[in-house]
Amino acid sequence: MNPFTWFIVLYTGSALLGILGLWFWYDKREGGSFEKARRRKVFHCVRCGSVYSARKADVSEGEACPKCEYKNYELSY
Ligand SMILES: [Zn+2]
């Protein structure tokens, strides 16, 4: 086989592997994101009204709003 054929084989092979890898990665991420979303802390900014979330374990000190940086406290469910 000439070098160019090898290049094609390796190129298509790695592209297929990449797609497969991404597919598995997204598949895994889909399942995990639901688990994380349940533990996510939700905040509502009383100054600008935006809703945002944080994945910190401890939010007793509050979390600053990404828009106006006003410190809000976790919403109670
Ligand atoms: Zn805000």
Side-chain angles (χ1 to χ4, degrees):
M1 261 198 259
N2 68 59
F4 187 71
T5 315
W6 270 114
F7 175 75
I8 297 286
V9 167
L10 285 172
Y11 189 80
T12 46
S14 58
L16 271 169
L17 271 173
I19 289 162
L20 260 171
L22 268 174
W23 183 57
F24 274 111
W25 185 66
Y26 274 115
D27 204 51
K28 247 184 124 181
R29 218 174 63 141
E30 274 304 303
S33 64
F34 179 71
E35 199 63 36
K36 272 177 192 158
R38 286 199 300 180
R39 268 176 278 151
R40 188 183 276 176
K41 310 287 198 299
V42 181
F43 300 87
H44 176 248
C45 183
V46 291
R47 190 195 262 174
C48 70
S50 69
V51 175
Y52 58 101
S53 61
R55 283 184 193 167
K56 283 179 188 171
D58 179 40
V59 285
S60 54
E61 294 293 302
E63 181 74 10
C65 172
K67 278 187 183 171
C68 67
E69 285 170 359
Y70 182 83
K71 213 176 206 184
N72 296 284
Y73 291 93
E74 189 187 354
L75 285 179
S76 48
Y77 292 97

